Amino acid sequence: MPAFDLPPADLERYRPDVAEPADFDAFWKRTLGEAAGAGDVLVSADPVDNGLRLTETWDVTFRGFAGDPVRGWFSRPAGAGEPLPAVVEFAGYGRGRGLPHERLTWVNAGYAHLLMDNRGQGGQYGCGGDTPDPHAGAPGGPGPAARGLLDPHDHHYRRLITDAVRAVDAVRALPGVDASRVAAVGNSQGGGVALAVAGLVPDLAATLVTAPFLCGIRRALDLTDASPYGEISAYLAVHRGVEEAAYRTLSYVEAISFARRAQAPAHFGVGLRDTVCPPSGAYAAFNRYAELTGGQEEKVLHAYPFNGHEGGDAVHVRRQLGWLRAALGS
């Protein structure tokens, strides 16, 4: 697939206006306050046999949206004694937390690592998930992107983003973690969620996003029919006349709006031939990153002209490792 979005020179200066609801900040303050009021964030952390000698893993349950139990894998290098900086990782669309030995990059780099399960997902690829979504009954499509699409209070991403913020709280409550050095990391859906966390957690130490979903949603719906955006388009193709309600809901989870409110140093990656999450969305989030909090935070973007949704793949991960080591002083 050849490049289909804006030319590289235009992408580098792309700073679109964002239609933010007037109560965007109040909506999220209220949502997160309700979740925090449900009780202590950490429910349990039970050691598991992961079959590995150099990594220790715990099966973690924490309270997410509405106090719902959310699962995750927490891992540390075996025998590490001192408090470690932590990476909280958010998985891609349709994927669950899988098995504890699947995601070892960050723990092998010497970090404590929490991989959050995606509520109500896990059935599309990978090795499954373990967190149901008990609030998924509102009108909307069957896929997560369109669940509860007609009301921002019902939308799936209100719940998933709240879970993600609470995951940061949970990792800080786990033993052997340096609570002052926590990074949010994710690709695709996980990248969009990591940007939301960066905008909602003011003392996050760093955020790393690749090919982020939820960035420039309205433009993406005009450019691509690939899932997950295609699931929203498919719902609107059947339920004609509800576009404005859907757009209003999506404005509360627009990752560019979260990026504008972020404060942590940021590392971006984008493939310029990405037809799943168009690169203009990533550039818009990058170019407007931290503009409401001073706009002076360290940020870097690596673009891969001949790559699609996979971005720079292992080459990019190597760049992430070096950048995070410097950002966290680890």
Side-chain angles (χ1 to χ4, degrees):
M1 169 63 70
F4 79 109
D5 205 336
L6 297 171
D10 292 342
L11 288 172
E12 290 175 5
R13 56 178 177 263
Y14 184 57
R15 298 174 61 91
D17 293 331
V18 180
E20 292 185 359
D23 66 338
F24 181 90
D25 293 309
F27 175 88
W28 283 106
K29 181 178 180 180
R30 183 170 59 252
T31 297
L32 297 178
E34 291 170 356
D40 292 341
V41 63
L42 193 59
V43 176
S44 62
D46 301 317
V48 297
D49 181 0
N50 59 19
L52 305 172
R53 293 183 178 181
L54 303 181
T55 299
E56 299 173 327
T57 300
W58 290 259
D59 184 351
V60 167
T61 301
F62 64 92
R63 290 186 175 89
F65 176 85
D68 297 338
V70 179
R71 305 287 290 278
W73 296 123
F74 176 63
S75 297
R76 282 171 43 93
E82 71 279 8
L84 299 175
V87 168
V88 181
E89 184 177 2
F90 308 109
Y93 191 77
R95 188 181 189 112
R97 66 172 181 166
L99 299 174
H101 60 269
E102 288 187 68
R103 303 288 187 97
L104 298 177
T105 297
W106 298 108
V107 69
N108 279 343
Y111 299 102
H113 177 234
L114 178 64
L115 175 63
M116 186 187 84
D117 204 12
N118 285 327
R119 68 164 60 220
Q121 299 189 34
Q124 293 189 20
Y125 66 101
C127 291
D130 300 292
T131 303
D133 184 1
H135 309 280
R147 288 178 192 159
L149 186 60
L150 303 186
D151 190 317
H153 294 88
D154 297 331
H155 194 222
H156 176 80
Y157 283 101
R158 179 189 181 216
R159 300 188 290 277
L160 190 68
I161 289 169
T162 302
D163 292 347
V165 171
R166 296 289 280 165
V168 173
D169 296 335
V171 83
R172 286 173 164 164
L174 287 162
V177 169
D178 181 347
S180 69
R181 294 190 292 167
V182 176
V185 175
N187 300 333
S188 192
Q189 173 185 263
V193 170
L195 280 174
V197 170
L200 293 170
V201 180
D203 59 347
L204 196 70
T207 185
L208 299 93
V209 303
T210 311
F213 180 48
L214 299 175
C215 293
I217 298 172
R218 290 284 295 268
R219 176 175 170 81
L221 290 171
D222 290 337
L223 288 178
T224 182
D225 283 330
S227 178
Y229 291 113
E231 295 177 16
I232 298 172
S233 299
Y235 179 82
L236 296 178
V238 174
H239 300 84
R240 302 166 184 85
V242 301
E243 293 90 345
E244 290 308 314
Y247 293 153
R248 176 175 179 270
T249 293
L250 293 168
S251 70
Y252 286 90
V253 299
E254 170 59 65
I256 297 172
S257 294
F258 291 118
R260 298 179 67 217
R261 292 159 169 79
Q263 301 181 45
H267 188 279
F268 281 69
V270 58
L272 299 190
R273 301 183 181 221
D274 188 345
T275 59
V276 177
C277 295
S280 55
Y283 271 91
F286 176 79
N287 289 334
R288 304 199 66 176
Y289 190 88
E291 68 179 6
L292 295 182
T293 56
Q296 301 302 312
E297 292 298 338
E298 177 192 350
K299 61 180 182 180
V300 61
L301 182 148
H302 294 283
Y304 301 92
F306 291 94
N307 288 101
H309 196 54
E310 82 284 5
D313 209 354
V315 169
H316 186 66
V317 172
R318 183 64 187 86
R319 286 172 165 166
Q320 288 181 315
L321 289 167
W323 182 88
L324 188 60
R325 184 181 303 117
L328 297 185
S330 57

